Amino acid sequence: MNPFTYARPDSVDSALDELKAQPNARLIGGGTNLIDLMKENIEHPTRLVDVNRLPLGGISELPDGGLRLGATVTNAETAYNALVTARYPLLSETILAGASPQLRNMATNGGNLFQRTRCYYFYDTAMPCNKREPGSGCAAIGGYNRIHAILGTEGSENQPTACIATYPSDMAVALAALEAVVQVTGSNGERSIAFADFHRLPGNEPWRDNTLEPGEIVTSIDLPAKGFNQHHTYLKLRDRASYAFALVSVAVGLEMEGNSVTDARIALGGVAHKPWRKPEAEQLLIGREATPDNFRLVAENLLAGAKGYGHNTFKIDLAKRAIIRALGEAMRSKV
Amino acid sequence: MIAETRSKPAGRSPLQTAAPAKPLPGVEPGSVTLTVNGQAKTIQIAPWTTLLDALREYMNLTGTKKGCDHGQCGACTVLVDGKRINACLTLAVMHDDHAITTIEGLASPDGGLHPVQQAFIDHDAFQCGYCTPGQICSAVGMLHEGHAKNKADVREGMSGNICRCGAYPHIVDAVLEVINKAEKQP
Amino acid sequence: MTYIGQPVKRVDGRDKVTGKAKYAAEFNVPDLTYGYVISGTIAKGKITRIDSSKALALPGVLTVFTHENRPHTAWFDMSYKDQDAPPGSPFRPLHDAKIKYSGQPVALVVAETFELARYAASLVEVSYDEETHETDLEAHLSEGREPSIGMATLIKPLPPKPRGDADAAMAQAPVSIKAHHVHGPQHHNPMEMFGTTVVYEGEKKGKPYFTIYDKTQGAPNSQLYVKQIFGLSLDQVRVISPYVGGGFGSGLRPQYQLFLAVMAAKELKRSVRVTLTRQQMFTFGHRPQTVQDVELGAAADGTITALKHGAIAATSQFEDYTEVVVNWSGMLYDVPDATLEYKLKSLDLYSPLDMRAPGGVTGDHAIETAMDALAYELNMDPVELRLKNYSEKDWTEDDKPFSSKELRECFRQGAERFGWASRNPEPRATKRGDVLVGWGMATGIWDASRMFARAEALLTVNGKLRVSSATADIGTGTYTIMTQIAADTMGMPIEDVIFRLGDTDMPMAPIQGGSWTASTVGSAVKQVCEDLKKTLFKLARKSSQSPFHNADFKEVIFRNGQMALRENPSIAMSLTDIVSLNGGRAVSETSTSMPNPLELKKYSRHTHSAAFVEVEVDEDLGTVTVTRAVSAIAAGKILNPRTARSQIIGGMVWGISHALQEDSKMDHRYGRFMNHNLAEYHMPVCADIHDLDVIFVEEHDEIVNPLGAKGIGEIGLVAMPAAIANAVFHATGKRIYDLPITIDRVLY
């Protein structure tokens, strides 16, 4: 860990000023990933700006019937919040499937969006990694890549695949399914980023995990009114029962009339550089009966074009199985 | 060998600058006051000192353990304003306005053990003892949270604390006993 | 006996639940400096340059040690050999420019604070000349060779010579099975990371003195290592290790942080602490990768007629680490035609290191899953098949009888507790909701060894007993059971007895491993207390006024803190009164307890177990859960059923971990372990562990030691992986040969 100075502003404006003053400044919320990465010599901020005194706490109702999750609210507070458990049980369940109680007590909603990959090669500075050291190569390709991406990794003729890292957050998988909106503010004012646009695929800039501009701060995550609180599930497959990252995870929200699906959201975790959604696949369900055959069609469509890299190839089929199971559970689930 | 993808000199991350003659910003210690187990103490630390290292190396409170230093084992669990957290992933400077409780602060001043401590002894809920302070602080934090009602809840709620000796069944028994006793009391 | 055999609560319990128990890196002294290790990044080659200038330019950085400026240490390999060193040439930290394995320590930065040392380490630049390395055992299976013979192979014998003609018998067997198993490497990963605090005590008459707090399973082992390498005398080096945050074998050898911390302290004349990072916990000893082939042939009635069990394991280029992998098959089954083989292949890795049930858990998984497969071929119950082939003697050791073997009772009681009788043997036939349920069982076996040890017993003028021996308590309960043994032997209330350990100022004891501590140190504690009683008796009868003046030692008993006449207990003297006859001084004895090797050698001495396991397998998703398990253990006298149960349960958790989760994954292109952290090196969390039950089967053994206790550190683990794998087969009808049985292996 390199030396840095520390600031704890109490207004968003002064936090923005801090970021402006030092390009190598970083925000710290819970610190659960940033401190880890600093100890590993992967992140090297020279100034840390503590966001915990910013007026970005609280969970409040929005006029459109949605819910605003303050950026500095912890994952645990969010998961156990009465409004969240009643209206967005999928989010609550998903948060509680991630990390550990201690980490959820520390990690903030804003910070969760900035978790970096768990790729072994990214984490080991002795190894080449395009995400950590642009241009050094991707050691995961051809290496031990059991936990790596199967979707969204394709390169092009001029640009071979640069990175097969996955984005490890559980919470974000539910946020993707719920079509949350990320509210940010920067020196150019405020803007809203649709969740699908917040994280990005590696392309030829794998070091960029998201579309936030330098100097911007996430102020809240807004949930639209539709919460799928009748039919939902989060299925997480991992190598142990708890406190492990997903090999594959699926967040499902359904709306149903009788046995017929009227709306469907399916997001995958552990399979790509961002939570993976494919509205076209979801459309296949809408207006149809919730049957295993239809679920299979959706699963096949969602995984179409998936590519394995050896150790992780099993995840293509595993993801399909997980989708079918999760859809079945969501169909049956009732709050 | 695939030396062609390997940068030489081998494997160091970027951001290296020549060392300056004068101390770097951030290295110079400053005063930070931490309130631990009800007592305020001022120590001289730089911002890069984690809460865990501050407790162990600067305040001689070595009951809080370092098992991985990366939030992957739970041995460093302490209570901050009553909530269980991993002390290894947070900076001491971030906690000058919080009440920190460590394993050393759970027993009453007259030496009477906290019910969770006593239950751990009674159920032989540890072997080497290294994860134990973290397990106990975690259990106390979990009891405050109030979500754990049954065996399955306890197993999940205690899953942020790895015990390599494998004392889990006894840990669950110990924590359940405390939960059940608390429920019986009005 | 008042205490032995009773579930006495851990005497160190209070210290452990209050945070008072101090581990090696927790002894804080004024002006302590901190060392941070820099790990190498290549698997083989040479360091061409180390540039420490940026680190050294930081105020507060004291120095950077590398192979170029390392102070002089001993010349000969012999000096680097510790009590658990395999044959070969031990690794010497910072010895020269050569890189022998990935993660090798290449430099030590010492600074005034931990944070500064860590930062400075990131500024040191190391360049290498890489050479081609070989780390993949599976690419070299045909290159196995015989292991070297050394001290280690005395304790861990190589396979016996072939017996009969296994190939011919196999060809004739009406029923036979064959299996090939690959076991990956594993790392011990005790929760406490390796650390050493060296307190520089200053110089006396030009000689430096050191008090060393080390994480070790044997303080004397560390002391001798330091003494030899740094040219010190024993009185200059005191090693203290009162608490050890888990060992599992990793502390059987001094690790490189000890060398580095002592080197720095001696050179800088400062106190130094060096603690490894979790990543660095993957840069010394591991359970070796092992590939096994097993064949069993049997008659139609289930009698096994042919056995072939071969293993090849990886070792380093500098030492021949061996473990007993295949011999167990012969100890369990008295097969007339049998071949057992064990080979090594040297690769560019660190030397493997004994890890809980070393070799035993590896070999047992192979033979006991083979037995299960054979049972299915024969259409026999797996327990029946084992009873049919129950062995009363050990042909791997010249047909010696077992000193005791209550394995039959393990089968009977274990099966009964588990409800084995209601098992439908048909695979895939048992379901619970949508998940498949499988029941499997396996036999376990481990050594019941005894070494020599010394102990001291001292009765204070206040009538308190202090007993000590330089052994360790790695969580096993040594403190507690030794206190029980001492209290019972002396006939004193346990509150008046304190047992201390882990200090080289105490009488010598061997490293704590191999499940031999209860047997070895327990015997020494019993011995020294017996000797102390004699001394007290002599003291008491000295005076002509003494009621014992004409008594013989055989005529007295010690109980309730008193010595009394057996025939007339009203004639008694309190121990405090006896000590007061010693002119105001305490009374002490130091004794050596030696096993009688000639007597012991007449017997094959082992613990046995039967594990019964239930799994649930979600076949659509590939997940396996061990929902319940029963282990029935025959391990002689159980000294403390409370701590013993914890030991066995811990072993069972290790079994679940071994079968379903643990695997150190190496990228052979780099020869480097890649999942070197606790997020990706999976071992069970609380949610993985369900109902585990332990039965201690009564077993009397007067051969193993005077206590009749056999040791239980490993036996809880041995049978579990095979039982789990067999249960997975019963659930799914699919035999998965390699471990761990992860989702992908269940599905594909």
Side-chain angles (χ1 to χ4, degrees):
Chain A
M1 188 188 288
N2 60 287
F4 55 86
T5 55
Y6 171 78
R8 187 165 52 193
D10 50 17
S11 75
V12 173
D13 282 346
S14 45
L16 290 172
D17 289 345
E18 288 282 357
L19 293 181
K20 214 178 196 174
Q22 278 206 40
N24 209 14
R26 290 288 307 271
L27 302 177
I28 182 165
T32 52
N33 194 206
L34 182 59
I35 302 285
D36 175 31
L37 291 164
M38 288 165 68
K39 287 179 182 176
E40 298 280 16
N41 285 315
I42 295 163
E43 299 271 6
H44 310 89
T46 50
R47 186 164 181 78
L48 283 189
V49 181
D50 186 341
V51 299
N52 289 296
R53 289 262 177 92
L54 302 183
L56 300 176
I59 291 177
S60 52
E61 295 187 78
L62 292 168
D64 66 355
L67 207 59
R68 170 160 290 178
L69 310 175
T72 60
V73 179
T74 66
N75 286 181
E77 283 173 75
T78 306
Y80 291 115
N81 178 278
L83 291 170
V84 174
T85 54
R87 287 160 53 182
Y88 307 93
L90 172 62
L91 178 61
S92 177
E93 195 184 325
T94 304
I95 291 172
L96 296 178
S100 72
Q102 291 93 316
L103 291 165
R104 297 193 297 263
N105 276 340
M106 305 170 76
T108 60
N109 291 335
N112 194 299
L113 306 182
F114 298 92
Q115 271 192 81
R116 305 211 67 190
T117 183
R118 305 304 305 186
C119 171
Y120 318 111
Y121 301 90
F122 172 75
Y123 255 90
D124 186 338
T125 53
M127 294 287 113
C129 170
N130 283 328
K131 184 184 274 296
R132 189 187 68 246
E133 222 175 311
S136 61
C138 172
I141 299 171
Y144 182 59
N145 49 35
R146 186 163 181 272
I147 60 172
H148 288 75
I150 51 173
L151 286 163
T153 59
E154 53 287 271
S156 61
E157 211 172 310
N158 309 327
Q159 183 64 48
T161 300
C163 176
I164 57 171
T166 59
Y167 169 59
S169 165
D170 288 293
M171 182 186 187
V173 184
L175 293 174
L178 293 168
E179 294 189 345
V181 174
V182 183
Q183 302 294 353
V184 305
T185 186
S187 40
N188 297 329
E190 296 175 1
R191 66 182 179 120
S192 303
I193 307 175
F195 206 79
D197 299 329
F198 187 82
H199 294 101
R200 55 185 297 285
L201 293 176
N204 51 17
E205 291 178 304
W207 53 91
R208 285 185 59 208
D209 292 347
N210 55 60
T211 56
L212 204 73
E213 295 296 333
E216 284 184 321
I217 293 178
V218 171
T219 54
S220 72
I221 298 166
D222 292 353
L223 301 174
K226 196 184 262 192
F228 297 93
N229 66 351
Q230 295 295 302
H231 297 279
H232 59 86
T233 202
Y234 185 64
L235 176 65
K236 183 174 181 181
L237 297 174
R238 42 187 157 175
D239 285 319
R240 65 181 172 199
S242 187
Y243 205 5
F245 292 97
L247 288 166
V248 166
S249 70
V250 189
V252 169
L254 296 178
E255 287 196 333
M256 301 189 61
E257 275 172 24
N259 197 36
S260 178
V261 177
T262 55
D263 198 1
R265 303 274 177 76
I266 307 166
L268 304 180
V271 295
H273 202 256
K274 59 186 287 190
W276 191 261
R277 264 192 75 197
K278 193 175 175 189
E280 170 199 325
E282 293 163 4
Q283 284 298 321
L284 289 177
L285 262 189
I286 295 172
R288 297 214 193 172
E289 294 286 290
T291 65
D293 283 347
N294 285 336
F295 295 162
R296 196 161 294 119
L297 279 178
V298 174
E300 291 295 339
N301 187 291
L302 254 163
L303 271 295
K307 182 176 176 201
Y309 291 84
H311 296 280
N312 70 347
T313 306
F314 76 98
K315 285 167 61 167
I316 299 172
D317 183 58
L318 183 65
K320 293 178 192 171
R321 289 164 178 264
I323 292 163
I324 294 165
R325 172 69 63 87
L327 283 167
E329 283 182 5
M331 174 187 82
R332 285 187 292 272
S333 76
K334 281 268 180 203
V335 193
Chain B
M1 291 304 299
I2 49 153
E4 64 275 11
T5 60
R6 162 82 50 89
S7 58
K8 289 186 180 182
R12 289 229 343 99
S13 38
L15 195 106
Q16 284 182 36
T17 48
K22 61 176 176 17
L24 293 165
V27 178
E28 286 281 273
S31 290
V32 176
T33 301
L34 295 177
T35 306
V36 184
N37 303 326
Q39 290 188 324
K41 194 177 168 189
T42 302
I43 52 173
Q44 299 295 316
I45 52 167
W48 62 4
T49 301
T50 62
L51 178 58
L52 176 61
D53 289 327
L55 292 169
R56 285 170 64 86
E57 308 295 339
Y58 295 83
M59 303 178 82
N60 205 26
L61 290 168
T62 54
T64 307
K65 304 304 182 197
K66 186 182 275 191
C68 72
D69 216 14
H70 290 280
Q72 298 164 354
C73 78
C76 65
T77 303
V78 297
L79 300 165
V80 170
D81 291 342
K83 287 186 180 144
R84 48 178 167 164
I85 68 158
N86 295 334
C88 72
L89 289 185
T90 191
L91 303 171
V93 288
M94 295 168 74
H95 297 286
D96 55 354
D97 52 353
H98 295 145
I100 298 156
T101 306
T102 69
I103 190 72
E104 290 93 342
L106 284 182
S108 60
D110 66 2
L113 294 179
H114 185 283
V116 175
Q117 290 174 311
Q118 188 60 50
F120 266 59
I121 294 178
D122 294 345
H123 289 271
D124 207 39
F126 52 87
Q127 293 175 43
C128 81
Y130 198 79
C131 75
T132 310
Q135 299 277 3
I136 291 173
C137 286
S138 187
V140 172
M142 184 175 73
L143 296 175
H144 288 170
E145 290 158 15
H147 304 299
K149 308 284 183 206
N150 55 38
K151 210 172 211 184
D153 296 341
V154 172
R155 282 179 180 143
E156 176 60 31
M158 290 300 292
S159 280
N161 294 80
I162 293 178
C163 169
R164 183 55 155 165
C165 296
Y168 298 126
H170 292 173
I171 291 170
V172 173
D173 291 346
V175 176
L176 270 178
E177 182 189 86
V178 178
I179 290 174
N180 291 337
K181 275 185 186 163
E183 271 177 4
K184 277 182 198 143
Q185 278 164 10
Chain C
M1 287 183 288
T2 312
Y3 301 110
I4 293 176
Q6 295 305 309
V8 173
K9 290 180 191 172
R10 263 171 223 268
V11 298
D12 49 340
R14 195 181 167 93
D15 279 356
K16 284 179 174 173
V17 302
T18 54
K20 285 201 182 76
K22 276 195 187 288
Y23 299 78
E26 298 176 347
F27 291 86
N28 291 332
V29 292
D31 299 323
L32 184 65
T33 66
Y34 293 82
Y36 196 91
V37 179
I38 300 176
S39 304
T41 56
I42 65 165
K44 190 180 181 187
K46 254 204 236 110
I47 302 168
T48 53
R49 190 184 67 106
I50 299 186
D51 183 351
S52 310
S53 55
K54 287 174 191 161
L56 290 169
L58 292 173
V61 173
L62 300 174
T63 193
V64 179
F65 290 101
T66 69
H67 67 280
E68 290 168 342
N69 64 3
R70 170 184 56 81
H72 171 74
T73 53
W75 283 104
F76 298 107
D77 276 346
M78 200 55 216
S79 305
Y80 295 80
K81 292 220 174 194
D82 60 89
Q83 285 181 35
D84 193 34
S89 171
F91 174 72
R92 304 181 184 192
L94 310 190
H95 183 65
D96 55 23
K98 256 193 203 155
I99 297 291
K100 297 179 171 179
Y101 70 97
S102 185
Q104 174 177 326
V106 296
L108 180 79
V109 179
V110 186
E112 298 287 356
T113 69
F114 167 70
E115 293 84 358
L116 188 62
R118 177 172 60 189
Y119 171 53
S122 76
L123 302 180
V124 175
E125 291 173 28
V126 186
S127 318
Y128 303 93
D129 252 352
E130 273 188 80
E131 292 167 30
T132 308
H133 63 263
E134 297 291 345
T135 52
D136 187 1
L137 179 64
E138 286 187 87
H140 299 276
L141 290 180
S142 62
E143 297 163 34
R145 59 167 175 82
E146 296 298 325
S148 319
I149 308 287
M151 288 297 284
T153 40
L154 286 179
I155 303 173
K156 300 186 282 187
L158 295 173
K161 290 199 178 72
R163 189 196 207 195
D165 186 341
D167 284 321
M170 199 70 73
Q172 283 167 16
V175 181
S176 66
I177 62 100
K178 203 172 178 174
H180 178 78
H181 300 271
V182 180
H183 290 181
Q186 298 178 340
H187 283 84
H188 307 70
N189 278 312
M191 294 317 297
E192 180 197 14
M193 299 187 288
F194 271 76
T196 304
T197 305
V198 179
V199 179
Y200 180 72
E201 305 280 11
E203 289 189 3
K204 278 174 234 159
K205 295 182 185 164
K207 283 165 45 180
Y209 285 77
F210 304 96
T211 304
I212 301 171
Y213 299 93
D214 189 33
K215 178 181 173 73
T216 173
Q217 290 174 239
N221 196 26
S222 296
Q223 182 197 33
L224 207 62
Y225 179 82
V226 168
K227 168 203 171 290
Q228 290 173 171
I229 291 173
F230 295 99
L232 303 165
S233 59
L234 283 179
D235 71 313
Q236 287 171 277
V237 184
R238 179 180 178 190
V239 177
I240 300 178
S241 182
Y243 289 103
V244 185
F248 316 109
S250 60
L252 290 174
R253 304 190 68 183
Q255 301 305 349
Y256 61 74
Q257 93 290 341
L258 172 66
F259 175 101
L260 295 172
V262 174
M263 174 195 72
K266 186 166 177 265
E267 191 67 11
L268 297 170
K269 301 185 192 303
R270 294 281 303 267
S271 297
V272 179
R273 172 173 300 154
V274 179
T275 310
L276 301 188
T277 63
R278 185 50 70 177
Q279 181 170 335
Q280 287 164 345
M281 293 293 289
F282 290 77
T283 61
F284 57 91
H286 52 272
R287 193 192 294 282
Q289 185 177 16
T290 306
V291 177
Q292 298 178 79
D293 287 288
V294 189
E295 283 183 68
L296 285 175
D301 71 348
T303 307
I304 301 170
T305 53
L307 159 68
K308 290 175 75 177
H309 188 175
I312 176 170
T315 188
S316 67
Q317 301 285 7
F318 44 94
E319 285 170 321
D320 270 12
Y321 169 85
T322 61
E323 52 190 27
V324 176
V325 175
V326 296
N327 302 19
W328 311 105
S329 297
M331 294 177 215
L332 284 173
Y333 305 110
D334 189 5
V335 183
D337 292 281
T339 305
L340 304 176
E341 265 188 3
Y342 179 71
K343 299 262 166 73
L344 289 183
K345 169 65 187 170
S346 297
L347 295 169
D348 298 304
L349 307 162
Y350 195 82
S351 300
L353 173 60
D354 292 316
M355 179 166 164
R356 201 170 196 178
V361 68
T362 314
D364 190 273
H365 171 247
I367 186 66
E368 287 299 291
T369 50
M371 286 295 286
D372 196 65
L374 187 64
Y376 274 97
E377 286 297 312
L378 290 160
N379 205 17
M380 252 178 115
D381 180 83
V383 178
E384 283 303 309
L385 178 64
R386 285 164 174 89
L387 288 170
K388 177 86 191 167
N389 292 281
Y390 196 86
S391 173
E392 300 290 359
K393 57 183 170 47
D394 177 2
W395 72 263
T396 71
E397 285 191 57
D398 308 320
D399 285 337
K400 287 174 192 167
F402 293 102
S403 62
S404 58
K405 179 176 175 178
E406 295 294 346
L407 177 58
R408 263 196 199 91
E409 267 309 287
C410 294
F411 290 140
R412 195 186 66 74
Q413 293 184 29
E416 188 182 292
R417 178 81 60 89
F418 187 82
W420 184 257
S422 65
R423 175 178 184 258
N424 174 355
E426 191 64 34
R428 308 183 57 78
T430 313
K431 284 201 153 193
R432 188 174 292 147
D434 290 335
V435 299
L436 293 165
V437 175
W439 287 6
M441 61 81 57
T443 308
I445 178 169
W446 188 253
D447 299 325
S449 308
R450 184 180 165 202
M451 319 296 275
F452 99 95
R454 287 162 60 73
E456 183 188 23
L458 179 146
L459 193 65
T460 69
V461 291
N462 302 321
K464 307 281 182 197
L465 181 69
R466 292 194 195 144
V467 184
S468 61
S469 176
T471 181
D473 187 337
I474 55 176
T476 42
T478 315
Y479 275 114
T480 309
I481 60 169
M482 296 307 154
T483 309
Q484 292 172 260
I485 293 168
D488 268 355
T489 313
M490 289 302 296
M492 291 176 67
I494 203 163
E495 300 76 28
D496 289 343
V497 180
I498 290 177
F499 179 77
R500 293 180 307 130
L501 52 69
D503 186 337
T504 53
D505 278 0
M506 298 170 184
M508 162 83 184
I511 43 180
Q512 181 174 44
S515 289
W516 64 51
T517 301
S519 169
T520 303
V521 182
S523 298
V525 167
K526 189 169 160 62
Q527 179 69 49
V528 76
C529 290
E530 295 290 358
D531 292 348
L532 182 65
K533 287 198 294 196
K534 286 181 191 146
T535 307
L536 291 169
F537 170 73
K538 283 181 199 156
L539 193 60
R541 65 179 288 203
K542 230 181 201 170
S543 150
S544 55
Q545 308 299 313
S546 167
F548 299 99
H549 190 62
N550 295 315
D552 189 84
F553 183 66
K554 285 185 209 122
E555 293 166 349
V556 299
I557 50 167
F558 286 74
R559 64 177 189 204
N560 303 329
Q562 291 183 323
M563 187 178 80
L565 279 179
R566 195 183 299 272
E567 300 298 332
N568 183 3
S570 65
I571 300 203
M573 236 180 130
S574 77
L575 299 186
T576 318
D577 287 346
I578 299 176
V579 179
S580 70
L581 302 172
N582 199 35
R585 292 188 312 267
V587 179
S588 73
E589 274 298 330
T590 302
S591 308
T592 302
S593 163
M594 269 285 232
N596 177 347
L598 294 177
E599 186 59 25
L600 289 180
K601 273 201 154 176
K602 292 181 193 159
Y603 298 92
S604 176
R605 290 154 288 121
H606 292 95
T607 52
H608 291 88
S609 71
F612 295 83
V613 167
E614 176 183 281
V615 297
E616 286 182 1
V617 181
D618 185 326
E619 206 178 18
D620 288 341
L621 302 178
T623 52
V624 179
T625 308
V626 175
T627 41
R628 65 192 180 94
V630 175
S631 283
I633 308 288
K637 175 84 186 163
I638 298 304
L639 301 172
N640 182 330
R642 180 187 300 267
T643 55
R645 183 183 145 88
S646 288
Q647 279 265 74
I648 299 301
I649 284 199
M652 292 169 79
V653 171
W654 270 62
I656 294 169
S657 190
H658 192 96
L660 302 180
Q661 297 187 359
E662 274 184 67
D663 204 3
S664 296
K665 280 296 184 187
M666 177 165 274
D667 185 331
H668 292 295
R669 300 171 307 165
Y670 301 99
R672 190 169 174 91
F673 290 113
M674 291 315 303
N675 56 341
H676 44 44
N677 59 66
L678 294 188
E680 297 299 339
Y681 182 87
H682 295 116
M683 24 202 219
V685 294
C686 202
D688 288 294
I689 304 304
H690 297 259
D691 294 341
L692 304 182
D693 201 357
V694 182
I695 300 168
F696 289 110
V697 167
E698 201 164 313
E699 186 176 70
H700 297 284
D701 194 318
E702 289 170 5
I703 306 299
V704 286
N705 57 54
L707 297 160
K710 284 179 169 178
I712 47 170
E714 352 275 312
I715 190 64
L717 161 57
V718 178
M720 282 293 288
I724 293 168
N726 294 339
V728 170
F729 174 78
H730 181 230
T732 63
K734 182 178 174 183
R735 210 36 94 188
I736 297 165
Y737 295 98
D738 301 342
L739 298 182
I741 301 172
T742 45
I743 286 174
D744 35 338
R745 286 195 168 124
V746 173
L747 291 178
Y748 312 105

